[in-house]
Amino acid sequence: MFQCIGYAAQEATAPLAPFSFERRDPGPNDVEIEIVYCGVCHSDLHQARNEWQNTNYPCVPGHEIVGRVKRVGANVTTFMEGDLAGVGCMVDSCRECSSCRDGLEQYCEPGFTATYNGPEQKTGANTYGGYSSHIVVDKHFVLRIPENLDLAGVAPLLCAGITTFSPLRHWKVGPGHKIGIVGLGGLGHMGVRLAHAMGAHVVLFTTSPGKEADAKRLGADEVVISKDPEAMAAQAESFDFILDTVAAQHDINAYLGLLKRDCTLVQVGAPEKPLDVAVFSVIWRRRNFAGSLIGGIAETQEMLDFCGKHGITADIEMIPIDQIESAYARMQKSDVKYRFVIDMASLPTAA
Ligand code: NAP
Ligand code: ZN
Ligand code: ZN
């Protein structure tokens, strides 16, 4: 074991604060990474505050991790000391179930091990995430980072990037499709960039009129202010696909009604309470309401390589870790442009 420092929530109502803990020394299949940057996902906030009612404390959030390899185990041939490496939302899975065999570890039937809020496969111990100095991860779950991209802007690709890339790919979004992205936050701004790069006609739905110019710069062809009923009515029954990234309660039926016959709305935003689906919004025109969870490891690598090829990174605001609580407060007000990234050089040396 070796000593690490991070930031943890000790309970739902406590602010995150410095926290010392131990991680395992790298085993034969492990890679130890010295973390350079970690993105701040809205899931970190949901989890730290126990909004999904399943948090194990202490909770060290963070699953958009990039850094440099420090040590590798004897069986690791794909990474060497000093290499760039990334870790996303998963650090392990059973490797045997049909989903794991299909490369869809996120749907592992007994359950994958999340990067934070575990439990670990063998020990059942809680896992601690990327708001920390180091992480030790099995080589199967370590990603290669394209060398041509800005490293801090790559961190959010490990969750926001793959969570939007995977459904866009699964539903085969491309040229000739009119697609909607709902919400311009961390996930939404990646969704706009990726769908634009895939050649779709992209319409961004936002509650924030001030984000219109940014949405166009990111690649949106049209921007609709979702609070404007006339602007919404003008889009009725015209979409081939919609990706909803909204983190709070909202009217999902307003978007289902924008789909063409047989088309699909995919929900990736995960509000704490259920969303009300009016049956006629799906019965009418045989529409589909689906969900999607992050993406598998092979697909995450494919997404990183796609971003390397197209020069895609996140728009970030870098923060020192002692500003995490004010970052969360701004995230709750939809005031993020468009992902906070923590500079791990700002960690204290002791808790
Ligand atoms: P974020 O940066 O906070 O963005 C969410 C956006 O939703 C906001 O910027 C805002 O965009 C919109 N929004 C917020 N409150 C709203 C409201 N009351 N009504 C309508 N729109 C509202 O969050 P994020 O990190 O992108 O995460 C989004 C959600 O996805 C979270 O719930 C997160 O837990 C979830 N998530 C799911 C997965 C998965 O695998 N399915 C993976 C990662 C994250 P506008 O200002 O443009 O309206
Ligand atoms: Zn996330
Ligand atoms: Zn499995």
Short mmCIF file of all heavy atoms in Angstrom, two decimals, residues 61-105:
data_model
loop_
_atom_site.label_atom_id
_atom_site.label_comp_id
_atom_site.label_asym_id
_atom_site.label_seq_id
_atom_site.Cartn_x
_atom_site.Cartn_y
_atom_site.Cartn_z
N PRO A 61 -14.77 11.75 -5.34
CA PRO A 61 -15.31 11.68 -6.70
C PRO A 61 -14.20 11.79 -7.76
O PRO A 61 -13.02 11.91 -7.42
CB PRO A 61 -16.25 12.88 -6.77
CG PRO A 61 -16.37 13.41 -5.37
CD PRO A 61 -15.11 13.01 -4.68
N GLY A 62 -14.64 11.81 -9.02
CA GLY A 62 -13.71 12.05 -10.13
C GLY A 62 -13.54 10.84 -11.03
O GLY A 62 -12.96 9.83 -10.62
N HIS A 63 -14.09 10.95 -12.28
CA HIS A 63 -13.90 9.85 -13.23
C HIS A 63 -13.59 10.38 -14.63
O HIS A 63 -13.96 9.76 -15.61
CB HIS A 63 -15.10 8.88 -13.20
CG HIS A 63 -16.43 9.50 -13.47
ND1 HIS A 63 -17.60 8.96 -12.98
CD2 HIS A 63 -16.80 10.59 -14.16
CE1 HIS A 63 -18.62 9.70 -13.39
NE2 HIS A 63 -18.16 10.69 -14.12
N GLU A 64 -12.91 11.51 -14.67
CA GLU A 64 -12.40 12.04 -15.94
C GLU A 64 -10.92 12.33 -15.71
O GLU A 64 -10.51 13.48 -15.51
CB GLU A 64 -13.16 13.32 -16.33
CG GLU A 64 -14.63 13.03 -16.63
CD GLU A 64 -15.43 14.24 -17.14
OE1 GLU A 64 -15.02 15.39 -16.86
OE2 GLU A 64 -16.44 14.03 -17.81
N ILE A 65 -10.13 11.25 -15.70
CA ILE A 65 -8.77 11.29 -15.16
C ILE A 65 -7.74 11.21 -16.29
O ILE A 65 -7.80 10.32 -17.14
CB ILE A 65 -8.58 10.09 -14.22
CG1 ILE A 65 -9.57 10.18 -13.04
CG2 ILE A 65 -7.12 9.99 -13.75
CD1 ILE A 65 -9.69 8.89 -12.23
N VAL A 66 -6.79 12.15 -16.29
CA VAL A 66 -5.62 12.01 -17.17
C VAL A 66 -4.36 12.25 -16.35
O VAL A 66 -4.36 13.02 -15.38
CB VAL A 66 -5.65 12.99 -18.38
CG1 VAL A 66 -6.75 12.63 -19.36
CG2 VAL A 66 -5.76 14.44 -17.93
N GLY A 67 -3.31 11.54 -16.73
CA GLY A 67 -2.06 11.70 -15.99
C GLY A 67 -0.93 10.98 -16.67
O GLY A 67 -1.02 10.62 -17.85
N ARG A 68 0.13 10.77 -15.89
CA ARG A 68 1.35 10.11 -16.40
C ARG A 68 1.56 8.80 -15.64
O ARG A 68 1.40 8.76 -14.43
CB ARG A 68 2.58 10.98 -16.18
CG ARG A 68 2.56 12.25 -16.98
CD ARG A 68 3.66 12.24 -18.04
NE ARG A 68 3.47 13.37 -18.94
CZ ARG A 68 3.57 13.30 -20.26
NH1 ARG A 68 3.84 12.15 -20.85
NH2 ARG A 68 3.39 14.36 -21.01
N VAL A 69 1.94 7.78 -16.39
CA VAL A 69 2.19 6.48 -15.78
C VAL A 69 3.43 6.57 -14.89
O VAL A 69 4.47 7.10 -15.30
CB VAL A 69 2.39 5.40 -16.87
CG1 VAL A 69 2.81 4.07 -16.25
CG2 VAL A 69 1.11 5.26 -17.69
N LYS A 70 3.28 6.06 -13.67
CA LYS A 70 4.41 6.09 -12.73
C LYS A 70 5.04 4.72 -12.59
O LYS A 70 6.25 4.56 -12.67
CB LYS A 70 3.91 6.60 -11.38
CG LYS A 70 5.02 7.14 -10.54
CD LYS A 70 4.51 7.94 -9.37
CE LYS A 70 5.65 8.24 -8.42
NZ LYS A 70 5.17 8.43 -7.06
N ARG A 71 4.20 3.69 -12.35
CA ARG A 71 4.73 2.31 -12.22
C ARG A 71 3.80 1.38 -13.00
O ARG A 71 2.60 1.64 -13.08
CB ARG A 71 4.74 1.87 -10.76
CG ARG A 71 5.75 2.56 -9.89
CD ARG A 71 5.82 1.93 -8.50
NE ARG A 71 4.68 2.33 -7.66
CZ ARG A 71 4.44 1.83 -6.44
NH1 ARG A 71 5.24 0.89 -5.93
NH2 ARG A 71 3.40 2.24 -5.74
N VAL A 72 4.35 0.30 -13.52
CA VAL A 72 3.50 -0.72 -14.16
C VAL A 72 3.87 -2.10 -13.62
O VAL A 72 5.02 -2.34 -13.24
CB VAL A 72 3.62 -0.73 -15.71
CG1 VAL A 72 3.14 0.57 -16.31
CG2 VAL A 72 5.03 -1.06 -16.16
N GLY A 73 2.86 -3.01 -13.62
CA GLY A 73 3.09 -4.38 -13.18
C GLY A 73 3.81 -5.19 -14.26
O GLY A 73 3.91 -4.77 -15.42
N ALA A 74 4.26 -6.39 -13.86
CA ALA A 74 5.10 -7.23 -14.73
C ALA A 74 4.40 -7.63 -16.03
O ALA A 74 5.05 -7.81 -17.05
CB ALA A 74 5.52 -8.47 -13.97
N ASN A 75 3.06 -7.76 -16.01
CA ASN A 75 2.34 -8.20 -17.23
C ASN A 75 1.91 -7.04 -18.13
O ASN A 75 1.21 -7.26 -19.11
CB ASN A 75 1.07 -8.98 -16.84
CG ASN A 75 1.39 -10.22 -16.04
OD1 ASN A 75 2.51 -10.71 -16.07
ND2 ASN A 75 0.41 -10.71 -15.30
N VAL A 76 2.28 -5.84 -17.77
CA VAL A 76 1.81 -4.68 -18.55
C VAL A 76 2.84 -4.35 -19.62
O VAL A 76 3.98 -3.98 -19.31
CB VAL A 76 1.58 -3.46 -17.63
CG1 VAL A 76 1.12 -2.25 -18.45
CG2 VAL A 76 0.56 -3.79 -16.54
N THR A 77 2.44 -4.51 -20.89
CA THR A 77 3.38 -4.23 -21.98
C THR A 77 2.94 -3.01 -22.79
O THR A 77 3.70 -2.50 -23.60
CB THR A 77 3.45 -5.44 -22.95
OG1 THR A 77 2.11 -5.75 -23.35
CG2 THR A 77 4.08 -6.64 -22.29
N THR A 78 1.70 -2.55 -22.57
CA THR A 78 1.15 -1.48 -23.40
C THR A 78 1.41 -0.09 -22.83
O THR A 78 1.14 0.91 -23.50
CB THR A 78 -0.37 -1.69 -23.58
OG1 THR A 78 -0.91 -2.07 -22.31
CG2 THR A 78 -0.67 -2.78 -24.59
N PHE A 79 1.86 0.00 -21.60
CA PHE A 79 2.17 1.30 -21.00
C PHE A 79 3.54 1.23 -20.35
O PHE A 79 3.94 0.20 -19.82
CB PHE A 79 1.14 1.67 -19.93
CG PHE A 79 -0.20 2.06 -20.50
CD1 PHE A 79 -1.21 1.12 -20.61
CD2 PHE A 79 -0.45 3.35 -20.95
CE1 PHE A 79 -2.44 1.45 -21.16
CE2 PHE A 79 -1.68 3.70 -21.49
CZ PHE A 79 -2.68 2.74 -21.60
N MET A 80 4.26 2.39 -20.44
CA MET A 80 5.57 2.49 -19.79
C MET A 80 5.57 3.72 -18.90
O MET A 80 4.79 4.65 -19.12
CB MET A 80 6.66 2.70 -20.85
CG MET A 80 7.09 1.44 -21.56
SD MET A 80 8.12 1.85 -22.97
CE MET A 80 9.36 2.89 -22.23
N GLU A 81 6.47 3.75 -17.96
CA GLU A 81 6.64 4.91 -17.10
C GLU A 81 6.76 6.17 -17.96
O GLU A 81 7.49 6.17 -18.95
CB GLU A 81 7.90 4.74 -16.23
CG GLU A 81 8.05 5.86 -15.22
CD GLU A 81 9.42 5.86 -14.54
OE1 GLU A 81 10.12 4.83 -14.59
OE2 GLU A 81 9.77 6.92 -13.99
N GLY A 82 6.02 7.21 -17.59
CA GLY A 82 6.09 8.48 -18.32
C GLY A 82 5.05 8.64 -19.40
O GLY A 82 4.80 9.75 -19.87
N ASP A 83 4.38 7.53 -19.82
CA ASP A 83 3.34 7.64 -20.84
C ASP A 83 2.14 8.42 -20.31
O ASP A 83 1.82 8.34 -19.13
CB ASP A 83 2.81 6.23 -21.23
CG ASP A 83 3.75 5.47 -22.15
OD1 ASP A 83 4.73 6.08 -22.63
OD2 ASP A 83 3.49 4.27 -22.37
N LEU A 84 1.44 9.10 -21.23
CA LEU A 84 0.14 9.67 -20.88
C LEU A 84 -0.86 8.53 -20.77
O LEU A 84 -0.80 7.55 -21.53
CB LEU A 84 -0.34 10.63 -21.97
CG LEU A 84 0.40 11.95 -22.11
CD1 LEU A 84 -0.18 12.72 -23.31
CD2 LEU A 84 0.26 12.78 -20.84
N ALA A 85 -1.81 8.66 -19.84
CA ALA A 85 -2.84 7.62 -19.69
C ALA A 85 -4.11 8.26 -19.16
O ALA A 85 -4.07 9.30 -18.50
CB ALA A 85 -2.35 6.54 -18.74
N GLY A 86 -5.23 7.61 -19.46
CA GLY A 86 -6.53 8.11 -19.00
C GLY A 86 -7.33 7.01 -18.34
O GLY A 86 -7.16 5.82 -18.63
N VAL A 87 -8.21 7.42 -17.42
CA VAL A 87 -9.16 6.50 -16.78
C VAL A 87 -10.51 7.20 -16.75
O VAL A 87 -10.60 8.38 -16.42
CB VAL A 87 -8.71 6.15 -15.33
CG1 VAL A 87 -9.74 5.24 -14.65
CG2 VAL A 87 -7.34 5.48 -15.33
N GLY A 88 -11.55 6.45 -17.12
CA GLY A 88 -12.91 7.01 -17.12
C GLY A 88 -13.72 6.51 -15.95
O GLY A 88 -13.23 6.46 -14.82
N CYS A 89 -14.95 6.10 -16.22
CA CYS A 89 -15.91 5.80 -15.15
C CYS A 89 -15.78 4.41 -14.57
O CYS A 89 -16.43 4.09 -13.58
CB CYS A 89 -17.33 5.97 -15.68
SG CYS A 89 -17.61 7.60 -16.36
N MET A 90 -14.99 3.52 -15.21
CA MET A 90 -14.91 2.13 -14.73
C MET A 90 -13.46 1.75 -14.48
O MET A 90 -12.57 2.14 -15.25
CB MET A 90 -15.45 1.17 -15.82
CG MET A 90 -16.87 1.42 -16.22
SD MET A 90 -17.45 0.20 -17.41
CE MET A 90 -16.67 0.76 -18.91
N VAL A 91 -13.24 0.95 -13.44
CA VAL A 91 -11.89 0.42 -13.18
C VAL A 91 -11.86 -1.10 -13.18
O VAL A 91 -10.78 -1.69 -13.10
CB VAL A 91 -11.30 0.97 -11.86
CG1 VAL A 91 -10.97 2.45 -12.00
CG2 VAL A 91 -12.23 0.73 -10.67
N ASP A 92 -13.02 -1.76 -13.28
CA ASP A 92 -13.02 -3.22 -13.34
C ASP A 92 -14.42 -3.70 -13.71
O ASP A 92 -15.40 -2.93 -13.67
CB ASP A 92 -12.62 -3.82 -11.97
CG ASP A 92 -11.96 -5.20 -12.10
OD1 ASP A 92 -11.92 -5.75 -13.22
OD2 ASP A 92 -11.48 -5.71 -11.07
N SER A 93 -14.51 -5.00 -14.10
CA SER A 93 -15.80 -5.64 -14.34
C SER A 93 -15.53 -7.14 -14.26
O SER A 93 -14.38 -7.56 -14.07
CB SER A 93 -16.36 -5.26 -15.71
OG SER A 93 -15.59 -5.84 -16.73
N CYS A 94 -16.58 -7.97 -14.42
CA CYS A 94 -16.38 -9.42 -14.19
C CYS A 94 -15.56 -10.07 -15.30
O CYS A 94 -14.94 -11.10 -15.09
CB CYS A 94 -17.72 -10.12 -14.02
SG CYS A 94 -18.53 -10.59 -15.56
N ARG A 95 -15.52 -9.47 -16.50
CA ARG A 95 -14.77 -9.95 -17.69
C ARG A 95 -15.36 -11.23 -18.29
O ARG A 95 -14.79 -11.76 -19.23
CB ARG A 95 -13.27 -10.22 -17.42
CG ARG A 95 -12.59 -9.33 -16.41
CD ARG A 95 -12.26 -7.99 -17.01
NE ARG A 95 -11.65 -7.16 -15.99
CZ ARG A 95 -10.34 -6.98 -15.86
NH1 ARG A 95 -9.52 -7.53 -16.71
NH2 ARG A 95 -9.88 -6.21 -14.91
N GLU A 96 -16.42 -11.79 -17.73
CA GLU A 96 -16.92 -13.09 -18.17
C GLU A 96 -18.33 -13.07 -18.72
O GLU A 96 -18.70 -13.93 -19.50
CB GLU A 96 -16.90 -14.08 -16.99
CG GLU A 96 -15.50 -14.52 -16.63
CD GLU A 96 -15.46 -15.25 -15.30
OE1 GLU A 96 -16.51 -15.39 -14.64
OE2 GLU A 96 -14.34 -15.66 -14.92
N CYS A 97 -19.15 -12.14 -18.30
CA CYS A 97 -20.56 -12.15 -18.70
C CYS A 97 -20.66 -11.77 -20.18
O CYS A 97 -19.69 -11.33 -20.81
CB CYS A 97 -21.37 -11.19 -17.83
SG CYS A 97 -21.07 -9.45 -18.16
N SER A 98 -21.85 -11.91 -20.75
CA SER A 98 -21.97 -11.67 -22.19
C SER A 98 -21.69 -10.20 -22.53
O SER A 98 -21.10 -9.90 -23.56
CB SER A 98 -23.33 -12.13 -22.71
OG SER A 98 -24.34 -11.35 -22.13
N SER A 99 -22.08 -9.28 -21.66
CA SER A 99 -21.79 -7.86 -21.94
C SER A 99 -20.29 -7.60 -21.92
O SER A 99 -19.76 -6.91 -22.81
CB SER A 99 -22.50 -6.96 -20.91
OG SER A 99 -23.89 -7.07 -21.04
N CYS A 100 -19.59 -8.16 -20.92
CA CYS A 100 -18.13 -7.98 -20.88
C CYS A 100 -17.49 -8.59 -22.12
O CYS A 100 -16.60 -7.98 -22.72
CB CYS A 100 -17.55 -8.61 -19.61
SG CYS A 100 -17.79 -7.61 -18.14
N ARG A 101 -17.96 -9.79 -22.50
CA ARG A 101 -17.37 -10.43 -23.69
C ARG A 101 -17.64 -9.62 -24.96
O ARG A 101 -16.87 -9.65 -25.90
CB ARG A 101 -17.88 -11.86 -23.83
CG ARG A 101 -17.20 -12.83 -22.84
CD ARG A 101 -17.30 -14.28 -23.32
NE ARG A 101 -18.66 -14.64 -23.63
CZ ARG A 101 -19.54 -15.19 -22.77
NH1 ARG A 101 -19.16 -15.43 -21.53
NH2 ARG A 101 -20.76 -15.47 -23.13
N ASP A 102 -18.75 -8.89 -24.98
CA ASP A 102 -19.08 -8.04 -26.13
C ASP A 102 -18.38 -6.68 -26.07
O ASP A 102 -18.65 -5.81 -26.91
CB ASP A 102 -20.59 -7.80 -26.19
CG ASP A 102 -21.36 -9.04 -26.65
OD1 ASP A 102 -20.72 -9.98 -27.16
OD2 ASP A 102 -22.59 -9.07 -26.48
N GLY A 103 -17.53 -6.47 -25.07
CA GLY A 103 -16.84 -5.19 -24.95
C GLY A 103 -17.75 -4.09 -24.43
O GLY A 103 -17.49 -2.90 -24.63
N LEU A 104 -18.82 -4.47 -23.75
CA LEU A 104 -19.77 -3.50 -23.18
C LEU A 104 -19.71 -3.59 -21.66
O LEU A 104 -20.69 -3.89 -20.98
CB LEU A 104 -21.19 -3.78 -23.69
CG LEU A 104 -21.36 -3.67 -25.22
CD1 LEU A 104 -22.71 -4.22 -25.66
CD2 LEU A 104 -21.23 -2.21 -25.66
N GLU A 105 -18.48 -3.35 -21.13
CA GLU A 105 -18.26 -3.54 -19.69
C GLU A 105 -19.19 -2.68 -18.85
O GLU A 105 -19.47 -3.01 -17.69
CB GLU A 105 -16.81 -3.19 -19.33
CG GLU A 105 -15.75 -4.04 -20.03
CD GLU A 105 -15.32 -3.48 -21.38
OE1 GLU A 105 -15.99 -2.58 -21.92
OE2 GLU A 105 -14.29 -3.97 -21.91
#
